[in-house]
Amino acid sequence: LVENQALQLKVRDLIIQSLTAKTSQDLINEDGKNKLRHEIQERVAVYFREPKLVDVMFTEFVIQL
């Protein structure tokens, strides 16, 4: 349970790092969202050997212009 919480914190931190490095213009179109999706997958996948991370999906996406 403690390992799971530590993993969740690390994954959230990596996602926040990726998001804060982007501008609204970077993410306004589908190409920008796909680039972010792939970046997150590459950064987070190292923590998921079994089960393997195969995709990143956004359930919500809000951009402030």
Side-chain angles (χ1 to χ4, degrees), residues 36-47:
L36 175 63
R37 182 178 285 116
H38 292 295
E39 178 182 328
I40 290 172
Q41 185 173 1
E42 286 179 3
R43 295 185 76 187
V44 173
V46 297
Y47 296 98

Side-chain angles (χ1 to χ4, degrees), residues 3-28:
E3 284 183 18
N4 190 26
Q5 288 176 334
L7 177 60
Q8 285 181 16
L9 291 173
K10 183 61 179 173
V11 167
R12 283 182 187 200
D13 182 57
L14 289 172
I15 292 170
I16 289 169
Q17 286 177 25
S18 293
L19 287 169
T20 57
K22 306 293 182 218
T23 66
S24 59
Q25 292 302 311
D26 293 334
L27 303 173
I28 199 78

